[in-house]
Amino acid sequence: MSASTAKALDAGAIVEASRLTAGRLALLASLAALGALATNIMLPAFPPIARDLGVHPRDLALTLGVFFVVFACGQVFVGPFA
């Protein structure tokens, strides 16, 4: 096999590996929706959680802020692997 044939095969493998499949699309959509889903689940539960823990809902809102900071940092660190 010649060098040019080997390079063409390697290029074909790279294109095949980077192709967007249905599974990869579903994974990316799930990851994109995770932040919105988490906040939509958590926000309506704030008053009962605050009541059960005996804290003010404003203090409990710090958990949401921490979630967003950690989620953003995760995007920064994991993003280059995509």
Side-chain angles (χ1 to χ4, degrees):
M1 180 173 14
S2 69
S4 62
T5 305
K7 286 181 183 179
L9 289 175
D10 289 342
I14 291 171
V15 168
E16 184 65 32
S18 65
R19 185 167 294 159
L20 184 63
T21 63
R24 288 182 184 166
L25 181 62
L27 176 65
L28 290 173
S30 299
L31 290 174
L34 183 63
L37 179 65
T39 56
N40 286 339
I41 290 172
M42 194 173 179
L43 283 177
F46 264 20
I49 292 172
R51 186 181 58 245
D52 291 345
L53 295 176
V55 296
H56 194 273
R58 182 181 55 235
D59 297 331
L60 189 62
L62 289 173
T63 61
L64 190 61
V66 170
F67 168 77
F68 281 126
V69 169
V70 171
F71 195 75
C73 290
Q75 297 293 323
V76 169
F77 290 115
V78 177
F81 294 118

